[in-house]
Amino acid sequence: MVTTAVFRQQWPAYDPELAKPEEAEIVVQVNGKLRSRVYAPFGTPQDALEKLAWPTRKPSSPSPRNIGRIIAVPDKLVNIVVK
């Protein structure tokens, strides 16, 4: 039986598809302050990100009628601006 030394073996090939994460970490902010983080698949539309951010609100969060604007940046963050 012929054996070769470990240091003579080739390194495994790098595959970028295996190293790519499956989901993006979306930061949920209220008036620019971090409130929570949610995970969504890459390429999720803005309206779906806004809906995904709503269940993360705490009971002390402002009511929906006080919401001035919702800013959603795909694959990055959702910022809820309160009046």
Side-chain angles (χ1 to χ4, degrees), residues 10-30:
Q10 291 185 352
W11 285 93
Y14 173 73
D15 187 3
E17 286 298 316
L18 293 176
K20 185 173 83 171
E22 296 176 6
E23 293 183 328
E25 181 180 22
I26 309 297
V27 176
V28 179
Q29 299 176 340
V30 176

Side-chain angles (χ1 to χ4, degrees):
M1 177 159 113
V2 177
T3 60
T4 58
V6 172
F7 64 88
R8 294 192 189 268
Q9 299 297 320
Q10 291 185 352
W11 285 93
Y14 173 73
D15 187 3
E17 286 298 316
L18 293 176
K20 185 173 83 171
E22 296 176 6
E23 293 183 328
E25 181 180 22
I26 309 297
V27 176
V28 179
Q29 299 176 340
V30 176
N31 286 342
K33 293 182 182 179
L34 177 66
R35 296 297 178 208
S36 67
R37 292 182 172 101
V38 294
Y39 294 91
F42 283 100
T44 303
Q46 290 182 358
D47 57 340
L49 287 177
E50 292 173 9
K51 290 178 184 176
L52 187 63
W54 279 110
T56 61
R57 290 186 7 196
K58 297 189 183 338
S60 62
S61 295
S63 65
R65 64 178 172 225
N66 293 338
I67 302 298
R69 187 173 175 194
I70 299 177
I71 302 166
V73 179
D75 302 333
K76 299 277 183 196
L77 68 91
V78 175
N79 190 5
I80 302 170
V81 181
V82 179
K83 294 180 183 179

